[in-house]
Amino acid sequence: MAGRAVQLALLAAAAALASGSQGDREPVYRDCVLRCEERNCSGGALRHFRSRQPIYMSLAGWTCRDDCKYECMWHTVRLYLQEGHRVPQFHGKWPFSRFLFFQEPASAMASFLNGMASLMMLCRYRTSVPASSPMYHTCVAFAWVSLNAWFWSTVFHTRDTDLTEKMDYFCASTVILHSIYLCCVRTVGLRHPAVVSTFRALLLLLLTAHVSYLSLVHFDYGYNLAANVVIGVVNTVWWLAWCLWNRRRLPHVHKCMAVVLLLQGLSLLELLDFPPLLWVLDAHAMWHISTVPVQVLFFSFLEEDSLYLLKEPEAKFKLD
C-alpha cells in the first residue's frame, strides 16, 4: 500500500545519483573497465567469452561489458577496503555478490516471496468469498495488480536495465493508485457508484499521463519522487481515517489499521543505508522481506470485510 510509495521515493532519490556514484567515478574503476573491454569484448576474445559464458547468463542478458563492470567493481572495492575506506556505491547501488544470474539475490528472492504471498491470498480470497460480495471484483483486481508489481520487482532485482527499472516503478505506482481506488470503492462507491466510476477514470488518466511523461518525454527522478510521495500520503490518510472512523463498528478494521501503520514504520528501513551484509542482504532487501506478512494481513482484512458486506445493509448498494 502506501509504504511502497515511500520506498519508491527513496529509490528514486538514490537513482538520481546513479550517473555519478563514488565507485564508478574512480579512475581505477574506469581504467579497469576500459582495459577489460579492450581485452575481452571484441573479435576472437568476445567469441571466447560467449563460448564459455553459462547459458543462463546469456539468456538473462548479461554481456561482456556487464561482466567487466562487475569484475572491476570488486577490484575497486578490494582496493578501498585495503586502504581502510568505506565501501563505495556504483551507479547508485551498493556492490552485491551475484548469484547465478541474480544481480541482487536477496531482494529478488524477497520480491518473489511477496508475489507468492499475493498469489496464495488471491486463491484463498476467491475460495472463501462469493462473487456476489460487492467488493469481490475490486479486491481480485487489486490482487492481480499486486502480483504483477511483485513480478516486475523480481525481474528488476534479477537484472537491472532501463526497461526493468521503469516497469518496477510504473507497476508499483499502479499498486498504490489501485489501493486508493480500493479505498474509494469501500468508503464511497458502495452507496455512490457513479462517483467511483468517475474517480476510476480520473486515476486511469493520471496513471496514463504519469507513465507517458516518464516514458516518452523525460524520466525525471525528482518528479517521480514527488508524485509517489503525494499518492502515498493520500492513500495513507484516506485508509487511516476510514479505519479510525469505523474502529468500533467493524471489529476486523484493526487489521487494516495495523497494515497502514506497519508499512509506514517498515519503510524507515530504507533509511538504514549500509553496505550489504555478506554482500547480499541490504536495507532494501530487509524491507522487501518484512512486507511478506504485512501483505498476508491486508488480504486477510479484505477477506473478512468482503464477507461482512454480504450480510450487512451496505451490501444492497451494488457497484456498476
Side-chain angles (χ1 to χ4, degrees), residues 32-65:
C32 176
V33 173
L34 182 61
R35 289 196 305 270
C36 179
E37 289 179 352
E38 290 175 347
R39 186 171 58 250
N40 300 309
C41 300
S42 61
L46 178 59
R47 287 191 294 272
H48 177 67
F49 168 81
R50 289 172 176 167
S51 67
R52 63 184 173 83
Q53 184 184 37
I55 185 65
Y56 57 81
M57 293 292 286
S58 59
L59 290 175
W62 287 94
T63 65
C64 180
R65 188 167 191 268

Side-chain angles (χ1 to χ4, degrees), residues 299-317:
F299 279 102
S300 176
F301 156 74
L302 293 179
E303 178 185 343
E304 289 187 30
D305 193 56
S306 297
L307 291 173
Y308 162 81
L309 288 173
L310 280 173
K311 56 184 180 181
E312 292 299 317
E314 265 183 295
K316 294 187 298 183
F317 300 92

Side-chain angles (χ1 to χ4, degrees), residues 135-149:
M135 289 294 294
Y136 178 86
H137 296 292
T138 308
C139 291
V140 168
F142 178 75
W144 282 113
V145 169
S146 298
L147 185 58
N148 177 66

Side-chain angles (χ1 to χ4, degrees), residues 21-31 76 80 88 90:
S21 297
Q22 183 177 352
D24 56 86
R25 285 200 306 262
E26 282 291 341
V28 64
Y29 170 80
R30 294 178 179 238
D31 290 343
T76 307
Y80 263 71
F90 295 81

Side-chain angles (χ1 to χ4, degrees), residues 247-289:
R247 67 187 184 281
R248 292 195 178 95
R249 188 171 65 90
L250 304 177
H252 56 273
V253 81
H254 69 278
K255 291 185 176 181
C256 182
M257 190 182 303
V259 168
V260 174
L261 296 177
L262 279 172
L263 285 177
Q264 301 314 304
L266 292 172
S267 294
L268 297 177
L269 284 172
E270 292 285 1
L271 300 178
L272 302 176
D273 195 23
F274 57 85
L277 304 175
L278 302 177
W279 305 115
V280 172
L281 185 66
D282 68 333
H284 182 65
M286 291 171 60
W287 189 91
H288 273 326
I289 293 169

